[in-house]
Amino acid sequence: MDSRTVALIRTTFKAVAAEDGGPEKLARSFYAILFTEHPFVRDFFPAALDSQRDRLVKAIAYVVDRLEEPDQLLPFLAQLGRDHRKYGVSTEHYAAVGKSLHAALRAYAGTELWTDEVERAWNEAIGVIAETMMRAADQEDTPPYWTGTVVEHRTVLHNLVVVRLQLDQAMSYAAGQYVSVQIPARPRMWRYLSPAIPANANGEIEFHIRGVSGGWVSPAMVGRTAVGDRWLLGSPLGGLGVPRNTRRKLLMIGCGTGIAPLRAQLLAMTRRRSNPKVHLFVSGHHPCDLYDLETLSNLATANRWLTVVPVTESDENPWWNYDSGDPDPEWPGLEPRRTGQIGKVVAGYGPWTDHDVQIVGPPSMVQTTKFRLMSAGLTTHNIRHDPLF
């Protein structure tokens, strides 16, 4: 794709996104056109499309931002193609999606902005996206999805659980990646979760799940999951991970259950002969939100390359936390807990200009922390976070 084509695509998308409610309106229009013109596609989607629309806009924005970075874009599209095999999609479905996205963009751009040249640019972009995803799916020899049985469902906080599954077939994934998950209580509603342990030949996998108020799936995972339930898992996604033999120091920042993919990476790193220095900040609103400090304490005590700093916005636990013990128990190997907003605390701890950075947590936390670090001198090239979270 040449620079002129990329510029036309970005200009069009930014013009649509700049309108009041533009991204949401674009997503609504896309699905309305898709289901009207191609009704056979509707069965692939859940009844409620709120999360689906949000992921669509994020994915398009990610693609548009990286049209000139094929080393990042093409692997991302290939992963999506492998993951979409779980739906049983075919060439016909990709064609339907491409036509509907094209029609939605044209409708919102208007006749003045949507010229013949813009139309050719978007046709080329949509063609590259579809071709890359289909080719990756066709070349993949792993299952379209994995099945597993819940063997443990442990409540950690009133809205947070640890779920362990035994997969029928072991899944190969890189520590730090995430997978889409479907539970029996919410058919066709796939949610992304990050394994909290590295992949293993026994097919054991662990997830840390917080129930989101008003959510469709996570409250069911927390409150309605039982031992013996059968879950479905899609192909692994994401690009977080620590390359072997790297000498670059690493800064990890995790909020809430965002500790899971970072924890998995740390566990994987303990199997290596040597590692770079790692500085981990783990955060939450209250001290009780730092639910995995025991594991992190054991890791920091056993591995001198790891420094762990707990951070909370409040010094006290909430009223609903029934543990009346000390909110700051002594954990060997950990730095004293800091109080404050995570991005501000981390930025004040630096400089981090000689570190590679990973940030995992709610989107607002990721963006705020990223901006704080950039203001402190870090470049976006050294900061990584997953695009669909």
Side-chain angles (χ1 to χ4, degrees):
M1 230 176 289
D2 59 35
S3 58
R4 174 67 178 173
T5 300
V6 172
L8 289 170
I9 291 170
R10 286 180 177 162
T11 300
T12 312
F13 185 71
K14 288 181 179 179
V16 172
E19 294 183 14
D20 185 25
E24 183 180 353
K25 290 178 181 177
L26 174 64
R28 288 182 180 277
S29 177
F30 163 74
Y31 283 112
I33 294 170
L34 178 65
F35 298 153
T36 300
E37 299 295 328
H38 311 279
F40 61 91
V41 177
R42 185 62 180 91
D43 289 342
F44 290 103
F45 295 88
L49 291 170
D50 294 6
S51 296
Q52 197 77 29
R53 284 192 290 264
D54 182 56
R55 286 199 294 270
L56 171 70
V57 171
K58 286 182 179 179
I60 296 174
Y62 184 85
V63 169
V64 169
D65 285 343
R66 285 159 181 81
L67 289 172
E68 293 176 301
E69 302 173 26
D71 57 327
Q72 293 190 43
L73 176 59
L74 296 182
F76 171 75
L77 294 174
Q79 286 184 350
L80 285 184
R82 289 188 286 269
D83 180 56
H84 277 61
R85 293 176 304 141
K86 69 194 179 198
Y87 299 116
V89 297
S90 63
T91 302
E92 182 183 15
H93 300 121
Y94 280 105
V97 168
K99 291 177 181 177
S100 301
L101 179 58
H102 182 280
L105 285 163
R106 184 177 58 212
Y108 273 90
T111 55
E112 185 174 332
L113 184 59
W114 194 267
T115 64
D116 290 343
E117 191 179 13
V118 168
E119 180 154 341
R120 286 193 297 270
W122 273 102
N123 282 338
E124 182 178 348
I126 291 171
V128 169
I129 293 169
E131 181 182 353
T132 304
M133 293 177 65
M134 286 188 291
R135 184 170 60 248
D138 291 341
Q139 294 175 349
E140 187 64 27
D141 57 4
T142 60
Y145 55 83
W146 281 255
T147 53
T149 302
V150 175
V151 295
E152 183 179 356
H153 179 269
R154 176 167 56 89
T155 300
V156 178
L157 297 173
H158 82 290
N159 65 341
L160 193 152
V161 297
V162 170
V163 177
R164 295 192 174 99
L165 293 96
Q166 177 63 56
L167 301 180
D168 299 330
Q169 177 180 343
M171 174 191 288
S172 177
Y173 58 87
Q177 288 191 299
Y178 57 98
V179 299
S180 53
V181 176
Q182 178 183 279
I183 63 174
R186 295 291 185 267
R188 294 188 294 172
M189 290 187 176
W190 296 82
R191 288 298 179 270
Y192 294 122
L193 299 176
S194 296
I197 60 173
N200 61 79
N202 297 325
E204 301 157 337
I205 197 165
E206 175 182 313
F207 297 112
H208 299 177
I209 307 166
R210 185 185 295 275
V212 178
S213 179
W216 284 86
V217 179
S218 60
M221 289 178 165
V222 170
R224 297 181 59 179
T225 294
V227 171
D229 283 355
R230 299 282 290 170
W231 285 19
L232 304 182
L233 286 71
S235 295
L237 300 159
L240 295 184
V242 181
R244 288 184 176 273
N245 303 319
T246 180
R247 295 186 177 182
R248 289 276 298 177
K249 289 183 283 188
L250 184 65
L251 169 62
M252 290 180 165
I253 307 166
C255 180
T257 55
I259 190 60
L262 304 180
R263 175 191 198 261
Q265 293 179 70
L266 295 174
L267 289 169
M269 292 172 71
T270 62
R271 303 171 183 172
R272 302 177 183 178
R273 298 176 64 177
S274 63
N275 285 298
K277 291 286 187 180
V278 178
H279 220 117
L280 168 67
F281 287 82
V282 54
S283 70
H285 291 292
H286 308 284
C288 65
D289 291 323
L290 307 179
Y291 64 92
D292 206 31
L293 288 185
E294 182 176 5
T295 300
L296 299 179
S297 170
N298 293 336
L299 286 171
T301 301
N303 300 280
R304 298 182 63 182
W305 45 264
L306 175 62
T307 300
V308 179
V309 182
V311 180
T312 60
E313 295 184 11
S314 171
D315 287 326
E316 297 182 356
N317 281 324
W319 62 269
W320 46 257
N321 182 59
Y322 303 114
D323 183 358
S324 58
D326 183 356
D328 280 312
E330 290 291 331
W331 294 110
L334 303 188
E335 296 288 303
R337 181 176 60 81
R338 310 296 188 197
T339 304
Q341 195 275 331
I342 180 63
K344 187 175 182 179
V345 171
V346 175
Y349 231 86
W352 304 104
T353 50
D354 59 343
H355 286 64
D356 287 331
V357 183
Q358 294 185 27
I359 311 174
V360 187
S364 59
M365 169 268 180
V366 170
Q367 291 302 320
T368 300
T369 303
K370 182 177 178 179
F371 292 148
R372 287 273 191 184
L373 292 174
M374 290 170 63
S375 297
L378 270 168
T379 63
T380 56
H381 177 73
N382 293 332
I383 302 175
R384 288 190 294 161
H385 55 87
D386 282 315
L388 299 184
F389 277 108

